[in-house]
């Protein structure tokens, strides 16, 4: 399937078609980045004409080659290509509407907005790091189903900015360590950034850096089609990931502006576009493609279509066809729900006292035994998180058939790679680190949410309750920060039962990523009466109702629910009737109907309890309320001393309640 394409005489006009559409669209929008698409047009034309296997008629064909435009500001390159390949949703109307409201041609490529866009890019470095996850998923799937069904490449166009971003080193290190020979990065080595020459800000020998990380490194003239083709062919044959340094001229074809920062992020202007058309020998009017270019690009699609049909024949004949398609299907939520319900019954009966990080490991034993394509991992905190269940084996360059990934101390790279695994398809990915290091992961978590990738972040040591490691490791603002992110479910379970319910939701989520914020310290089982209902799915619920009309409602999450329960006992001793609400997921509670929310919250004064800052609690508490939590950073001390020092105690909660009544 992946045979080298025969060279044609059409590649120059194929490249110039990219340049023309780029100039015209950016000019019409009076906004955009023409420099990179014009500079990398020759590389893109050769890549697609001779190597890429994609079929616009089946954009999600599982064994297609993946193309990642890591330098996402150059989005007109992929829009122009996809238009000329014949993607049904990328008509010329979309090219004309570049960067306009409601168009599929957003300023940066957005996954899900249009076919043929494999990943949302724009934040520099994210594309190359996500591509590492895609390439790893290809090898893992290949190990399970053989080369007859899984045999594709991941190609990346990255710019100087992508390689300057720190995440690129995490990505390069992982890819080299894992021997991802199906990953080929085409570096747009134009030596220009927004401010001007790259010499203003960097002296790094990027080729030496990637070579030191275990990559094959090649250097070519990015405007010489023979050198481009030879380098890509050499990269495809090498067992290492490959970096091809493509020396290019930014804005190539614009005679007065090429090679300068002026072409990076602004329209060329009518006069320069006219001069570029003349220099390129391009006589077609704006937004028109001559038949020769159109025919050449359609031939790429025809070859991809034939490759896809041949693959479908192999799939139909394969004894693994059912398993292959099953792995691509959504997780079996009903089956997992039944398994978790049975497991919860045991927990409620046995009522263990456990850290929710340990409860997470126990729930994962059920999840991983029920869902066959779970892929776990940790950023060098496997024993602390704990994310590796019985029978899981490490993924390595010698054993892609494993199901557990040691990401190393690369939290940001881990999160991006998990996005890539999810985007590739065939696996459900989760990975762990400490909650405080969601700051290190945040740009990739944000892309998980933006793209609707249902990856799960297992974030342990979720409060001052981690103790002696001190304020550098004690998250206080992180819960609020994560709750502020759209399309992200943050679960902070109070016991083993809630943890199991949270896992049932996270592992079967369709298009929302999840963060599980889990305790280091042991917590009692508070849900001792078994219910088959997944109560965490409602976001918040009454864990303990008052004996009669409520005088106060205590609302807490995670480890502080135990404190709220003890406070309710103290209040009851003084004839104050308190209800306790467990609120493990604010986002799911906000999605409930108004009647349910009102019934849970009641009309009595409310006290919120969480070992974190108050921000984000406003809607749950209302005006007649109090908050018991953190108002600054933590400290280094044993757990009990910390809770006492910061006043997060049952006595403090009871006192706050009395002051409201």
């Amino acid at each position: 399937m992946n045979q080298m394409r025969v060279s044609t005489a059409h590649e120059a006009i194929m490249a110039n078609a990219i340049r023309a559409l780029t100039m015209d669209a950016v000019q019409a929008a009076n906004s955009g980045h023409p420099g990179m698409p014009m500079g990398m047009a020759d590389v893109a034309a050769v890549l697609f004409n001779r190597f890429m296997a994609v079929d616009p008629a089946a954009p999600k064909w599982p064994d297609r080659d993946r193309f990642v435009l890591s330098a996402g500001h150059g989005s007109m390159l992929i829009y122009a290509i996809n238009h000329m390949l014949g993607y049904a949703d990328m008509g010329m109307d979309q090219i004309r509407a570049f960067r306009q409201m409601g168009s599929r041609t957003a300023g940066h490529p957005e996954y899900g907005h249009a076919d043929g866009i494999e990943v949302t890019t724009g934040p520099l470095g994210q594309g190359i790091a996500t591509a590492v996850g895609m390439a790893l998923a290809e090898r893992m799937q290949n190990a399970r189903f053989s080369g007859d069904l899984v045999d594709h490449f991941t190609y990346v166009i990255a710019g100087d900015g992508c390689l300057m971003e720190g995440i690129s080193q995490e990505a390069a290190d992982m890819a080299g360590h894992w021997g991802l020979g199906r990953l080929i990065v085409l570096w747009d080595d134009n030596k220009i950034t927004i401010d001007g020459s790259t010499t203003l800000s960097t002296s790094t020998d990027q080729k030496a850096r990637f070579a030191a990380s275990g990559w094959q490194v090649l250097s070519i003239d990015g405007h010489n089609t023979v050198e481009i083709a030879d380098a890509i062919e050499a990269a495809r044959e090498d067992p290492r990931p490959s970096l091809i340094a493509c020396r290019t001229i930014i804005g190539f074809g614009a005679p007065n502006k090429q090679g300068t920062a002026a072409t990076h992020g602004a329209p060329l202007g009518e006069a320069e576009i006219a001069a570029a058309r003349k220099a390129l020998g391009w006589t077609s009017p704006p937004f028109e493609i001559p038949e020769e270019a159109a025919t050449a690009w359609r031939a790429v699609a025809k070859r991809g279509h034939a490759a896809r049909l041949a693959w479908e024949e192999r799939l139909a004949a394969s004894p693994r066809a059912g398993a292959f398609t099953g792995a691509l299907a959504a997780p079996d939520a009903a089956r997992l729900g039944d398994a978790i319900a049975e497991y919860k019954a045991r927990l409620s009966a046995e009522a263990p006292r456990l850290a929710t990080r340990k409860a997470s490991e126990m729930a994962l034993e059920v999840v991983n035994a029920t869902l066959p394509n779970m892929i776990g991992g940790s950023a060098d905190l496997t024993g602390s998180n704990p994310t590796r269940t019985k029978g899981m084996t490490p993924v390595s360059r010698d054993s892609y058939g494993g199901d557990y990934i040691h990401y190393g101390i690369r939290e940001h790279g881990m999160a991006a790679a998990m996005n890539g695994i999810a985007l590739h398809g065939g696996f459900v990915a989760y990975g762990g680190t400490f909650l405080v290091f969601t700051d290190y992961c945040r740009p990739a978590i944000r892309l998980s949410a933006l793209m609707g990738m249902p990856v799960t972040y297992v974030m342990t040591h979720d409060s001052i309750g981690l103790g002696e490691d001190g304020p550098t490791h004690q998250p206080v603002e992180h819960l609020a920060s994560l709750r502020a992110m759209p399309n992200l479910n943050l679960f902070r379970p109070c016991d083993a039962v809630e943890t199991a319910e949270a896992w049932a939701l996270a592992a079967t989520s369709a298009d929302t990523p999840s963060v599980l914020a889990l305790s280091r310290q042991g917590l009692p089982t508070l849900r001792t009466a078994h219910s088959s209902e997944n109560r965490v799915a409602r976001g918040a619920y009454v864990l303990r109702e008052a004996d009669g009309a409520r005088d106060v409602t205590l609302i807490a999450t995670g480890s502080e629910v135990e404190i709220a329960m003890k406070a309710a006992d103290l209040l009851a001793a003084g004839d104050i009737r308190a209800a306790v609400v467990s609120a493990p997921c604010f986002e799911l509670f906000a999605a409930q109907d108004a009647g349910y929310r009102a019934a849970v919250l009641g009309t009595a004064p409310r006290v919120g309890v969480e070992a974190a800052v108050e921000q984000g609690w406003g809607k749950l508490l209302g005006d007649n309320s109090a908050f018991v939590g953190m108002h600054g950073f933590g400290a280094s001390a044993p757990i009990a001393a910390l809770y006492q020092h910061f006043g997060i105690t049952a006595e403090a909660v009871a006192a706050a309640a009395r002051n409201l009544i």
Side-chain angles (χ1 to χ4, degrees):
M1 180 182 63
N2 284 320
Q3 298 298 317
M4 183 174 178
R5 307 306 182 199
V6 176
S7 177
T8 76
H10 299 305
E11 284 167 349
I13 196 168
M14 292 172 73
N16 285 341
I18 296 173
R19 295 184 175 106
L21 286 179
T22 295
M23 291 189 295
D24 294 340
V26 172
Q27 188 66 29
N30 195 30
S31 173
H33 300 77
M36 191 284 283
M38 295 177 71
M40 286 294 282
D42 296 308
V43 173
V46 172
L47 173 64
F48 276 83
N49 188 49
R50 307 194 198 192
F51 300 99
M52 285 291 295
V54 292
D55 182 6
K60 295 295 187 181
W61 163 37
D63 202 33
R64 68 194 180 279
D65 289 332
R66 270 56 167 186
F67 175 65
V68 174
L69 185 64
S70 188
H73 55 274
S75 57
M76 265 311 302
L77 182 136
I78 194 169
Y79 298 149
I81 289 172
N82 287 357
H83 166 72
M84 292 185 290
L85 286 175
Y87 282 88
D89 64 351
M90 194 54 67
M92 190 62 81
D93 61 321
Q94 295 298 321
I95 305 299
R96 289 179 179 274
F98 178 55
R99 286 182 164 233
Q100 303 309 300
M101 179 64 71
S103 75
R104 298 184 182 91
T105 46
H108 294 82
E110 302 282 352
Y111 175 81
H113 284 210
D115 292 334
I117 296 173
E118 301 286 0
V119 55
T120 295
T121 56
L124 295 177
Q126 287 293 326
I128 186 174
T130 304
V132 170
M134 292 178 172
L136 180 60
E138 189 273 343
R139 288 291 85 191
M140 292 192 296
Q141 204 176 42
N142 172 275
R144 288 158 174 78
F145 298 107
S146 83
D148 283 343
L149 299 182
V150 185
D151 181 25
H152 55 266
F153 285 80
T154 301
Y155 297 98
V156 181
I157 286 182
D160 291 302
C162 291
L163 301 196
M164 287 190 207
E165 292 285 358
I167 194 173
S168 73
Q169 180 54 38
E170 296 184 28
D173 194 0
M174 288 190 294
H177 179 71
W178 291 328
L180 300 180
R182 297 302 182 99
L183 176 63
I184 299 173
V185 175
L186 301 151
W187 168 31
D188 180 19
D189 182 16
N190 62 36
K191 303 191 185 303
I192 294 292
T193 61
I194 292 175
D195 281 356
S197 169
T198 54
T199 58
L200 292 170
S201 56
T202 182
S203 301
T204 296
D205 184 338
Q206 297 288 4
K207 291 179 282 189
R209 176 167 74 98
F210 275 77
S213 295
W215 290 54
Q216 175 186 220
V217 176
L218 304 167
S219 298
I220 61 168
D221 176 351
H223 302 296
N224 184 311
T225 59
V226 173
E227 290 189 21
I228 297 166
D230 287 349
I232 296 174
E233 182 63 20
R236 287 161 56 92
E237 296 299 323
D238 198 283
R240 297 167 293 177
S242 294
L243 176 75
I244 302 176
C246 307
R247 186 69 181 96
T248 62
I249 299 172
I250 191 171
F252 184 88
N256 303 302
K257 293 187 176 183
Q258 67 179 20
T260 71
T263 69
H264 172 85
L268 296 178
E270 296 291 355
E272 186 67 6
I273 290 174
R277 277 181 147 78
K278 182 177 180 180
L280 296 170
W282 191 264
T283 58
S284 296
F287 298 106
E288 288 190 17
I289 303 299
E291 186 58 32
E292 183 182 358
T295 299
W297 279 106
R298 285 197 297 267
V300 174
K302 288 179 181 177
R303 287 194 296 267
H305 183 71
R308 194 255 299 179
L309 293 180
W311 176 85
E312 289 180 345
E313 290 181 2
R314 294 196 299 275
L315 177 65
S318 172
R320 304 297 311 284
F324 182 84
T325 56
L328 295 173
D332 190 337
R335 184 170 176 237
L336 181 60
D338 290 343
I340 289 291
E342 181 181 342
Y343 168 62
K344 286 195 308 175
R346 297 199 305 271
L347 288 174
S348 294
E350 296 169 5
R353 184 178 182 89
L354 298 168
T356 51
R357 62 170 177 162
K358 177 62 178 178
S360 171
E361 179 186 31
M362 294 165 60
L364 265 173
E365 294 284 359
V366 178
V367 173
N368 289 346
T370 306
L371 303 180
N373 56 343
M374 298 291 291
I375 297 294
S378 172
D380 199 54
L381 290 168
T382 295
S384 294
N385 288 143
T387 43
R388 183 175 174 180
T389 59
K390 296 181 183 68
M392 296 187 88
T393 59
V395 174
S396 72
R397 66 194 305 156
D398 300 316
S399 179
Y400 295 116
D403 51 10
Y404 191 82
I405 301 172
H406 291 282
Y407 288 101
I409 304 134
R410 308 184 188 96
E411 297 88 353
H412 197 180
M414 174 185 71
M418 287 198 295
N419 283 338
I421 292 169
L423 286 160
H424 179 275
F427 303 101
V428 178
Y430 69 88
T433 184
F434 290 170
L435 182 64
V436 75
F437 298 133
T438 53
D439 282 348
Y440 282 19
C441 305
R442 190 176 181 87
I445 296 175
R446 187 172 187 269
L447 285 182
S448 301
L450 188 60
M451 293 187 291
M453 287 296 104
V455 300
T456 300
Y457 297 93
V458 182
M459 300 300 189
T460 68
H461 298 61
D462 69 343
S463 71
I464 59 170
L466 72 85
E468 292 86 348
D469 277 350
T472 59
H473 284 55
Q474 292 168 1
V476 293
E477 77 277 24
H478 298 73
L479 297 175
S481 173
L482 291 164
R483 287 172 180 148
M485 189 179 293
N487 194 39
L488 178 70
N489 286 335
L490 171 65
F491 296 97
R492 190 167 187 248
C494 73
D495 68 359
V497 176
E498 281 195 354
T499 303
E501 292 180 340
W503 260 115
L505 297 168
T508 58
S509 174
D511 52 17
T512 299
S514 302
V515 172
L516 272 62
L518 306 170
S519 74
R520 177 179 181 266
Q521 71 270 37
L523 304 175
T525 297
L526 301 175
R527 293 266 298 277
T528 54
H530 173 62
S531 169
S532 59
E533 177 191 1
N534 188 323
R535 304 192 76 184
V536 170
R538 305 299 293 270
Y541 61 94
V542 179
L543 178 63
R544 168 176 166 172
E545 189 53 273
D547 185 12
R550 296 184 195 179
D551 294 317
V552 67
T553 299
L554 311 179
I555 309 170
T557 77
S559 47
E560 286 69 67
V561 177
E562 177 189 12
I563 292 173
M565 293 286 276
K566 291 178 178 177
D569 288 338
L570 293 175
L571 292 168
D575 294 325
I576 296 175
R577 294 167 296 196
V580 177
V581 171
S582 178
C585 184
F586 286 16
E587 296 78 23
L588 292 180
F589 185 62
Q592 305 304 306
D593 64 80
Y596 176 78
R597 296 198 308 272
V600 169
L601 296 176
T603 58
R606 302 167 192 162
V607 180
V609 193
E610 188 171 65
V613 299
E614 184 178 359
Q615 186 173 352
W617 274 80
K619 284 190 176 181
L620 269 71
L621 296 181
D623 292 332
N624 189 17
S625 64
F627 180 77
V628 176
M630 296 295 293
H631 302 281
F633 294 112
S636 177
I639 295 171
L642 287 167
Y643 273 84
Q644 189 69 38
H645 174 76
F646 289 108
I648 307 174
T649 63
E651 291 76 14
V653 174
R658 294 188 194 99
N659 288 337
L660 291 172
I661 298 170

